[in-house]
Amino acid sequence: DAAAVALGIDLGTSGVRAAVLDGAGNVLAVTGTRFAGLGAADAPSVWWRALAHTLDALQARLSLGDVRSVTLDGTSGTLVAIDAAGAAIGPASMYHARAADDAVPARIAAIAPPGSAARGVGSPLARAVELARRPGVRAILHQADWIAGRLRGRFDATDANNALKTGGDPDTLAWPDWVAEAGLAPALLPAIHLPGAALGPVGAEGLAAGLPPGAVVHAGTTDGCASFLATGADRAGDAVTALGSTLVVKLLSDVRIDAPPYGIYSHRIGGRYLVGGASNSGGAVLLGLFGVDRLAALTAGLRPDMPTGLDYYPLLRAGERFPVSDPAFQPRLEPRPADDGVFFQGVLEGMAMIEATGYARLEQLGATALRSVRTVGGGAANAGWTALRQARIGVPFLPSRSEDACVGAAFLGLYGGAAARLPDQAA
Ligand code: ADP
């Protein structure tokens, strides 16, 4: 049997998942532990216990003795304050929380550059400034940084993807002066590394958790970037559409794009950028219009070869973020045919139009031209919808290697940051 050489760990909002790969990138095992039952999801100690359980479960199945790289992804925007010994001070500041004090995001808005992901009412930088006021704080870390720190026994590192939302510059790998001006002292900030870069060997806690002495912890990434890498997308122009509750498109681009009105930021992956946006349309709209029980039967009746000619923009309520940014944008679901099968197909055609317009918008803003699409999420299994989308979008649709973010994280460590920087193969 091939040895397990790369371990990837996904720290999510509801649990931990871990994957081990062999040297060729094949997935040997994936397992996970939910936070529920262990304690509160915002307690950093619960993340650590869930990870310890997960590593025990992996070791019950195969040896971790040959693991060389350990790489983590975490929830983008979830933050931890730590003391001089690396212990978490109080609960984490969760990704969906808002700064308690409006003055902090207001100050950031006044000094951060227009394209910065650290701006806005939900600014993680604003929450970091507030966390830094807790007594005894010596550093502010992201979720993945803290667990990686415990595995290493050092809490001095983050990665360019996680650091983006607290103001880290993905090109210079530095904290700009305006981050200190916003109220976050440079002494509290970890060094920024490229995602996948080797940081250093596992320490006492990592060894106690079952990792071998030769294992090296690598700089991690966010959950979204790890999910993208898990699919196997790795060339400029490769894209992933997520058809979950919302419709999200992500494209690997040679060009950086920052368009906050569309929620578009550039995550650095290898020598490239991951750009994308999220529409309010998607699976939640399907559930709202048709109900979960009818989706399978309606899907069986799709006729992708017979377009309905309906020109819908499917939303449950007014407001869209991407590919148009307009809080007052109106749904368009008229006229409604008598036949629900035709209505369903019209709604999916409308979503295919939104997806195609989304990719066109990224290209208009300067991104690398689309060359392939992989699909993940609940809608990916709908063959009729896939046919409608493929006809509309017009580039090859490719299978996803995995939908597990932990597999993407493991990949990042295996290739030491060269994931998504592999030389372009001929088309
Ligand atoms: P999330 O993790 O974002 O909640 P999932 O990836 O689990 O979403 O996908 C759930 C979505 O998949 C639901 O919103 C549902 O509308 C959609 N879905 C399920 N079955 C089908 C189908 N046959 N055709 C289209 N969409 C489907």
Side-chain angles (χ1 to χ4, degrees):
D1 284 0
V5 300
L7 171 66
I9 297 164
D10 167 59
L11 302 161
T13 54
S14 60
V16 169
R17 286 177 70 74
V20 280
L21 311 183
D22 68 16
N26 299 306
V27 179
L28 300 181
V30 180
T31 189
T33 307
R34 301 187 71 78
F35 299 142
L38 294 177
D42 67 353
S45 61
V46 168
W47 309 338
W48 176 260
R49 274 157 57 209
L51 173 60
H53 276 246
T54 304
L55 294 179
D56 286 347
L58 273 181
Q59 289 173 93
R61 289 163 63 177
L62 80 186
S63 166
L64 298 182
D66 292 308
V67 166
R68 289 200 301 269
S69 67
V70 181
T71 315
L72 294 91
D73 74 84
T75 311
S76 178
T78 291
L79 302 168
V80 188
I82 61 166
D83 66 17
I89 300 175
S93 172
M94 299 296 277
Y95 65 101
H96 52 60
R98 294 194 167 190
D101 173 1
D102 285 344
V104 183
R107 185 158 73 238
I108 293 167
I111 57 179
S116 172
R119 300 173 73 91
V121 281
S123 161
L125 175 58
R127 288 186 288 108
V129 170
E130 292 188 341
L131 275 185
R133 297 173 183 161
R134 289 183 186 171
V137 171
R138 291 295 171 79
I140 301 295
L141 300 177
H142 295 259
Q143 183 183 35
D145 308 334
W146 184 69
I147 294 288
R150 283 193 69 163
L151 291 172
R152 290 175 61 214
R154 296 180 66 99
F155 298 87
D156 56 3
T158 187
D159 64 82
N161 296 156
N162 273 301
L164 193 73
K165 285 193 181 170
T166 40
D169 187 313
D171 286 321
T172 61
L173 303 181
W175 297 101
D177 291 341
W178 57 262
V179 170
E181 282 168 44
L184 200 51
L188 297 178
L189 293 166
I192 305 172
H193 297 264
L194 280 177
L199 296 178
V202 294
E205 279 205 287
L207 296 172
L211 299 177
V216 169
V217 179
H218 289 242
T221 184
T222 61
D223 47 356
C225 292
S227 297
F228 182 91
L229 291 174
T231 67
D234 63 4
R235 303 172 305 172
D238 280 351
V240 174
T241 300
L243 300 175
S245 301
T246 60
L247 191 164
V248 183
V249 303
K250 292 198 175 99
L251 170 69
L252 203 54
S253 168
D254 285 320
V255 182
R256 177 173 169 175
I257 300 175
D258 296 291
Y262 297 107
I264 300 173
Y265 309 107
S266 286
H267 274 297
R268 190 164 171 189
I269 292 189
R272 299 206 168 92
Y273 298 96
L274 189 56
V275 303
S279 166
N280 288 342
S281 194
V285 177
L286 296 179
L287 294 184
L289 292 175
F290 302 98
V292 66
D293 299 333
R294 297 183 63 208
L295 288 184
L298 288 166
T299 295
L302 289 172
R303 294 297 307 271
D305 51 321
M306 291 176 58
T308 64
L310 296 164
D311 178 31
Y312 292 159
Y313 200 109
L315 296 170
L316 287 176
R317 60 191 70 83
E320 177 62 306
R321 297 173 288 168
F322 175 87
V324 284
S325 174
D326 178 1
F329 193 86
Q330 292 298 316
R332 205 164 61 233
L333 288 165
E334 306 271 333
R336 178 162 180 163
D339 182 341
D340 265 2
V342 177
F343 184 51
F344 181 63
Q345 179 161 327
V347 168
L348 294 184
E349 287 168 354
M351 290 185 189
M353 182 277 298
I354 294 171
E355 183 184 358
T357 307
Y359 285 122
R361 175 76 78 237
L362 295 179
E363 208 170 318
Q364 262 168 26
L365 293 169
T368 300
L370 184 69
R371 64 189 271 179
S372 77
V373 174
R374 291 171 172 83
T375 312
V376 300
N382 184 323
W385 191 4
T386 305
L388 292 169
R389 295 169 50 227
Q390 195 150 21
R392 180 59 102 144
I393 294 169
V395 299
F397 276 35
L398 304 177
S400 289
R401 186 182 45 210
S402 168
E403 289 202 16
D404 253 316
C406 55
V407 171
F411 227 64
L412 198 53
L414 184 64
Y415 294 110
R421 198 172 44 180
L422 309 176
D424 279 18
Q425 294 116 27

